Amino acid sequence: MTERNSGQKIVGLAPHRQSSFYGRDIVSVRQFGREDLAYIVSVADEMRGIVKRVGATDLLKGHVLANLFYEPSTRTSSSFIAAMERLGGSVIPIHGVQYSSVSKGESLPDTIRTLECYADVIVLRHPEVGASEVAARYCSKPVISAGDGVGEHPTQGLLDLYTIYTELGRLDGLHVAMVGDLHNGRTVHSLARLMQLYDTRFSFVSPESLRLPADIKEALEGAGRVVVETDRVEEVIDQVDVLYVTRVQKERFADLSMYEAAKDYYVITPELMSGAKAKMALLHPLPRVGEIHYDVDSDPRAAYFRQMENGMYIRMALLAAVLGKA
Ligand code: ASP
């Protein structure tokens, strides 16, 4: 949190109910405690109910979201658009920054200063770690990170947590295994830090070169969590409640031969899943590029398509909450 974010930003809306999200930036999962998470999960449930019953509402009618993406995205960007539109608001979509003034050399702070003139909330995806905190410092409206480089992806972490809750009915007492590119995978970083708040046992499954960053591992251990590292998914598959699989993040490798060496390390197959618990959840933030075999898709424990649907409910909840309408 930046100094400016330690209080609530003024967004010029009369809140229905004050929540700790009102007027706040969402730049890191480190800003959340268990109460915040319980709150946002309950609002996401309400949003799911609204969408299932009537499709949309006019809660954010007249409000504008600027969706600013400096990196590729399918799910995050389109679910934020869908979320805002289902809440009755509208969207300024900037997905090809090459067609914006960024290509003329405009700085991030100036781009943010521009968009805050037109929008009530800004969603930002950027390749640099900490970019959303920088943007938040220059912005008087709430900034929501949609992923900053290899740093964090807080809204994905929230939707992953929401999915674990909806799939398994609880968040405490789970064994969570995270598999793949734990070093560069920002969704892993956010989800691990969120699950640290619960009584979680962690297994981190990766080749040596793609281990979880040391600071995150230390934070988990410092919070008293059991952390095991291994390079074999077979060692943990029969014990886990959550298997969170990720792709090797090709775009983060300076040396592509290192990517080639790591990319096919893990493939989740029906045979492997036959060794897993009957009640568990298989998650993936997507896109997958071979880590989960298509034959696994029909397995009832394969939750990754429900997970991406949940992304829209969580983002509806977040938009309504930061704008004081949840
Ligand atoms: N879509 C996720 C992200 O933006 C996961 C991934 O790209 O592998 O981080």
Side-chain angles (χ1 to χ4, degrees):
M1 290 286 288
T2 58
E3 202 180 308
R4 180 172 199 158
N5 303 333
S6 56
Q8 293 186 337
K9 291 187 177 185
I10 308 301
V11 292
L13 287 168
H16 280 180
R17 183 168 85 215
Q18 283 287 350
S19 81
S20 63
F21 287 81
Y22 172 54
R24 295 253 316 260
D25 305 306
I26 295 172
V27 293
S28 165
V29 295
R30 274 172 284 186
Q31 69 196 78
F32 301 127
R34 288 176 63 132
E35 272 186 21
D36 300 313
L37 301 175
Y39 169 76
I40 211 70
V41 161
S42 73
V43 179
D45 268 340
E46 282 177 38
M47 295 302 176
R48 179 199 297 278
I50 290 171
V51 171
K52 297 289 181 203
R53 279 196 313 277
V54 287
T57 153
D58 58 2
L59 210 57
L60 293 186
K61 188 164 187 283
H63 296 99
V64 178
L65 158 69
N67 217 29
L68 177 61
F69 279 68
Y70 288 72
E71 278 191 339
S73 172
T74 302
R75 275 153 292 274
T76 306
S77 127
S78 53
S79 64
F80 263 116
I81 294 172
M84 193 62 180
E85 294 191 348
R86 283 182 188 272
L87 289 168
S90 51
V91 182
I92 303 170
I94 305 183
H95 299 141
V97 284
Q98 68 271 29
Y99 302 116
S100 74
S101 287
V102 170
S103 68
K104 301 179 190 168
E106 186 165 69
S107 66
L108 178 63
D110 280 1
T111 303
I112 293 294
R113 283 186 183 112
T114 307
L115 292 173
E116 74 169 349
C117 298
Y118 315 131
D120 304 296
V121 52
I122 296 175
V123 168
L124 172 69
R125 170 167 291 183
H126 198 280
E128 279 162 34
V129 176
S132 38
E133 286 183 42
V134 172
R137 219 175 297 142
Y138 288 93
C139 191
S140 60
K141 312 279 176 66
V143 171
I144 302 178
S145 168
D148 58 340
V150 297
E152 273 213 44
H153 193 341
T155 68
Q156 177 78 42
L158 293 171
L159 79 89
D160 293 340
L161 176 127
Y162 180 53
T163 303
I164 293 171
Y165 182 71
T166 53
E167 293 292 316
L168 300 176
R170 69 187 207 278
L171 291 166
D172 274 306
L174 298 175
H175 184 164
V176 175
M178 306 182 106
V179 182
D181 189 347
L182 310 181
H183 189 72
N184 299 304
R186 56 194 173 196
T187 70
V188 169
H189 306 163
S190 289
L191 182 59
R193 285 189 185 277
L194 283 175
M195 291 307 293
Q196 174 194 323
L197 297 172
Y198 301 87
D199 171 24
T200 307
R201 180 187 177 87
F202 292 96
S203 292
F204 293 108
V205 186
S206 73
E208 190 72 41
S209 58
L210 299 178
R211 288 274 192 256
L212 191 72
D215 62 320
I216 301 180
K217 188 178 168 209
E218 279 158 23
L220 303 185
E221 287 171 337
R225 304 294 165 238
V226 175
V227 175
V228 173
E229 292 183 309
T230 171
D231 61 359
R232 285 179 47 80
V233 72
E234 292 78 4
E235 267 177 29
V236 297
I237 188 74
D238 60 335
Q239 302 148 37
V240 299
D241 302 298
V242 176
L243 190 66
Y244 188 88
V245 182
T246 63
R247 82 184 160 94
V248 178
Q249 308 274 302
K250 184 178 184 183
E251 67 276 32
R252 312 294 179 204
F253 283 75
D255 177 355
L256 272 189
S257 67
M258 284 183 69
Y259 164 74
E260 292 295 332
K263 77 176 174 26
D264 296 323
Y265 214 87
Y266 302 104
V267 181
I268 308 301
T269 59
E271 295 69 47
L272 192 74
M273 287 300 288
S274 69
K277 287 183 180 176
K279 186 169 169 65
M280 56 84 74
L282 176 62
L283 271 60
H284 193 307
L286 302 173
R288 64 175 152 180
V289 284
E291 312 79 39
I292 300 182
H293 197 284
Y294 290 107
D295 288 349
V296 176
D297 294 356
S298 55
D299 187 314
R301 297 165 295 181
Y304 31 92
F305 299 132
R306 295 188 288 278
Q307 183 183 359
M308 65 183 172
E309 180 182 335
N310 288 339
M312 184 174 75
Y313 307 133
I314 276 288
R315 289 171 177 132
M316 288 174 77
L318 289 170
L319 289 170
V322 299
L323 292 174
K325 297 286 184 178

